[in-house]
Amino acid sequence: MGEKPLIPVILATGFGSGYCPVAPGTAGALLATVIWLAYTLFLPPTTCIALTVVLTLLFTVLGVWATNKVIPFWGEDPRRVVVDEMVGVWIPLIAAPAGNLWYALASFVLFRFFDIAKPLGVRQMERFPGGIGVMADDILAGIYSLFIIICAQWIL
């Protein structure tokens, strides 16, 4: 079968965060949240929104590709693949005020809740084949989290 391809492994594992021995999905989502917090400290708010959208779309496409490349080595939906968690947490962060630690924390917690509990059709997304199925459930969990973040902003 050969060696695992390096670039897909790096991307699929969220730059290695998927190798965390405890809760690799949480580690991947946390890394993505920290990345978001870091660039929101230095960029204007409009640029932060645009960059978060670009990262979400880019890593969705790259995540499907990378996951499809590592599935032959690691099996369907392997634990160390966490690029899906990175994409999932960036989705609610699209609506979060730049650099706001509380909204970042809320986005992280809401996303992890929907990702772990898998309510309202999230589990059904895993039925799609290969990398699409790996990514789709986290995208839907991220969309649910985004909705709650937007509602919270409207109420507050």
Side-chain angles (χ1 to χ4, degrees), residues 11 14 16 22 42 44 50 52 67 70 102 108 110 112-113 119 121 124 145:
L11 290 170
V22 179
F42 301 102
T52 307
T67 301
V70 299
W102 296 110
F108 174 81
L110 284 166
R112 288 307 290 152
F113 167 76
Q124 285 71 25
S145 304

Side-chain angles (χ1 to χ4, degrees), residues 42-128:
F42 301 102
L43 299 174
T46 319
T47 304
C48 292
I49 294 168
L51 181 56
T52 307
V53 169
V54 167
L55 286 173
T56 301
L57 296 173
L58 178 65
F59 274 78
T60 296
V61 172
L62 290 174
V64 170
W65 170 78
T67 301
N68 284 334
K69 294 290 186 185
V70 299
I71 282 175
F73 299 95
W74 293 338
E76 290 292 322
D77 203 359
R79 283 179 39 96
R80 65 188 87 156
V81 171
V82 298
V83 67
D84 50 332
E85 275 83 8
M86 293 178 72
V87 167
V89 80
W90 279 330
I91 293 172
L93 288 169
I94 291 168
N100 188 302
L101 186 60
W102 296 110
Y103 274 98
L105 182 62
S107 296
F108 174 81
V109 169
L110 284 166
F111 167 70
R112 288 307 290 152
F113 167 76
F114 285 114
D115 185 31
I116 292 166
K118 300 198 183 303
L120 307 169
V122 173
R123 183 164 313 283
Q124 285 71 25
M125 295 292 108
E126 293 176 328
R127 294 182 184 158
F128 288 107

